[in-house]
Amino acid sequence: MEVPLSKPNITALEKKYVMKVLNSGQLSFGDTLLRFEQSFCDTFNVSHAAAMNSGTSALHVAVKALGLQSGDEVITTPYSFVASGNCLLYEGVKPVFVDIDSDTFNIDTTLIESAITPNTKAILVVHVFGQPCHMDEIKRIADKHKLFIIEDACEAIGATWKGNPVGTLGDMGVFAFYPNKQITTGEGGVLLTDNEHYFNLACSLRNQGRDPGSDWLTHDRIGYNYRMSDLQAAIGLAQMERLKTILTKRERAAERYIRLIHKAGLPVKTLKPLPDSTMSWFVFIVKLPEDADREIVIERLARRGVQSKPYFPSIHLFPVYQSQFGFQPGDFPVSESTSDRTIAIPFYTNITFKEQAHVVKSLAEALKGEE
Ligand SMILES: *Cc1c(COP(=O)(O)O)cnc(C)c1O
């Protein structure tokens, strides 16, 4: 049995909406893009949503719209996808990493305050794997020290902290729509904010620096082409209409994995929702025991048709981060030991019980040393 790591969930509805856009002739800045953006305002009770061509673009625009620049520092987590660090580097902003909590894999809020300096301007939180960070603590610290909060909620659409949707809890929030995310537009992202000024700036930055309402050949500042096409928005609009169903299916699949792993008595650690939050399941991560050789486990899984991948390497150990900022192995021991032992196993909206049972059986064999 072949079980891929990830698979997008596309139905007749997505195809219908894409055909509608193709037939309309309005392929960019059309009605579908507006409807897609409005669906975020309606679903997540937020004033403004600006869709872009990737989550990384939306993070970059968030950093830029907040006016962060060279000389500024932003506190963030090393245990994430590289984009949450790179969006700072694009603007010459210094990432100040803080180690993570070994249970949630999210930023350890007890370490944030000692990392604050006079140059600190913001905290960029990542709700890693769809598990919300401790937002009460983060807000308390941000308020006390007058810092912005940027939420990288790219892996957490639909997750909630004390009943409130992540992505709407700081100054700016971002979701992403690469095909392995909970919902996809092929490529894409969206920036959410309640602040009209930041929203207008974001819309200008994504559209070659044109202010809203400006003529097509008027450029009020240096901007980018970070626009999302209406074809992408059409896929996204259908996905948003099905969001609840998609998230429920993923939650059931995650619960099945947790049950199967427990039943098999596997010595691995998994994520579980915390009392104050609901998770949105992005990928399914298992943390292998210390004595397991991860490369060999991945190989043995592959021999059984099961795709898996080390997930995530710690950002501070990428060459650019080491050479530009002097980060070294040992700087963030919890993040590093987590990076050394976590793998993603197959997980997608329509994964079947049979597939999951095969994955868990294969993992059990691999850990027991069966070639
Ligand atoms: C997916 C993701 C992004 C954005 O990725 P894009 O491929 O640019 O859409 C940013 N941060 C995190 C943590 C992500 O998982």
Side-chain angles (χ1 to χ4, degrees):
M1 184 186 271
E2 297 289 320
V3 196
L5 199 52
S6 157
K7 213 195 287 192
N9 178 240
I10 301 296
T11 66
L13 191 66
E14 283 78 3
K15 294 173 189 169
K16 181 174 133 190
Y17 286 1
V18 169
M19 284 311 293
K20 239 198 217 164
V21 168
L22 283 173
N23 291 329
S24 78
Q26 184 82 48
L27 308 190
S28 181
F29 272 140
D31 185 47
T32 307
L33 183 73
L34 289 174
R35 284 176 60 202
F36 179 56
E37 291 175 334
Q38 187 60 42
S39 75
F40 289 92
C41 300
D42 298 342
T43 306
F44 299 112
N45 192 24
V46 64
S47 311
H48 306 286
M52 301 195 204
N53 60 357
S54 76
T56 306
S57 307
L59 284 169
H60 179 202
V61 163
V63 166
K64 192 132 180 146
L66 289 176
L68 304 178
Q69 56 188 336
S70 179
D72 293 340
E73 296 177 4
V74 171
I75 291 175
T76 190
T77 171
Y79 189 73
S80 170
F81 180 60
V82 69
S84 63
N86 283 354
C87 66
L88 303 171
L89 271 59
Y90 297 154
E91 292 304 315
V93 175
K94 183 176 169 195
V96 174
F97 293 116
V98 160
D99 212 346
I100 60 167
D101 176 89
S102 61
D103 286 323
T104 62
F105 308 151
N106 277 326
I107 193 164
D108 183 341
T109 52
T110 64
L111 301 176
I112 292 178
E113 281 196 279
S114 59
I116 294 174
T117 76
N119 296 326
T120 309
K121 293 284 159 42
I123 306 174
L124 192 162
V125 297
V126 180
H127 306 294
V128 85
F129 307 139
Q131 179 151 79
C133 294
H134 198 302
M135 289 310 290
D136 289 356
E137 262 307 288
I138 285 160
K139 274 192 195 167
R140 183 190 66 77
I141 297 166
D143 284 348
K144 184 171 152 197
H145 299 273
K146 300 201 168 35
L147 307 175
F148 295 119
I149 298 174
I150 303 172
E151 285 182 276
D152 179 340
C154 290
E155 304 184 356
I157 186 171
T160 62
W161 172 258
K162 293 194 171 162
N164 298 309
V166 304
T168 69
L169 306 174
D171 296 282
M172 303 266 201
V174 172
F175 297 137
F177 311 119
Y178 186 71
N180 74 336
K181 301 275 150 98
Q182 289 91 326
I183 65 169
T184 186
T185 58
E187 295 280 0
V190 69
L191 187 150
L192 309 179
T193 182
D194 280 321
N195 183 303
E196 191 175 358
H197 171 69
Y198 297 146
F199 172 68
N200 287 335
L201 252 177
C203 288
S204 173
L205 288 168
R206 76 170 167 181
N207 187 26
Q208 306 283 20
R210 299 174 182 111
D211 271 337
S214 273
D215 183 78
W216 194 250
L217 293 179
T218 304
H219 307 281
D220 305 276
R221 57 184 59 74
I222 294 179
Y224 307 87
N225 180 356
Y226 283 172
R227 297 185 299 266
M228 174 184 275
S229 76
D230 276 52
L231 291 163
Q232 293 165 301
I235 303 171
L237 186 60
Q239 297 259 299
M240 279 298 283
E241 286 180 16
R242 303 196 301 111
L243 180 65
K244 252 203 175 128
T245 315
I246 288 172
L247 294 181
T248 304
K249 282 183 164 182
R250 296 175 83 92
E251 188 176 8
R252 297 225 173 102
E255 288 166 358
R256 283 202 301 264
Y257 258 146
I258 291 170
R259 269 202 309 276
L260 284 164
I261 286 169
H262 183 75
K263 223 171 108 189
L266 299 191
V268 300
K269 201 170 133 173
T270 60
L271 277 179
K272 288 177 199 71
L274 296 173
D276 283 332
S277 60
T278 59
M279 279 184 68
S280 167
W281 289 88
F282 164 49
V283 288
F284 197 90
I285 295 298
V286 296
K287 188 173 178 189
L288 302 176
E290 244 163 281
D291 58 359
D293 183 325
R294 180 168 62 177
E295 287 315 306
I296 291 177
V297 169
I298 289 173
E299 245 177 67
R300 288 180 183 151
L301 288 174
R303 257 181 244 135
R304 290 160 173 84
V306 175
Q307 268 188 13
S308 64
K309 207 190 198 109
Y311 227 87
F312 281 119
S314 292
I315 298 175
H316 67 283
L317 295 182
F318 286 124
V320 170
Y321 286 78
Q322 292 206 39
S323 64
Q324 201 170 327
F325 304 102
F327 293 121
Q328 288 174 23
D331 284 349
F332 306 103
V334 184
S335 178
E336 290 167 33
S337 70
T338 305
S339 290
D340 286 344
R341 286 164 53 197
T342 41
I343 59 169
I345 58 175
F347 189 72
Y348 37 91
T349 302
N350 277 340
I351 192 166
T352 65
F353 179 80
K354 253 192 170 154
E355 289 169 328
Q356 291 185 283
H358 177 68
V359 171
V360 174
K361 182 170 167 275
S362 302
L363 187 57
E365 290 168 3
L367 287 170
K368 260 188 275 169
E370 293 173 28
E371 286 308 315

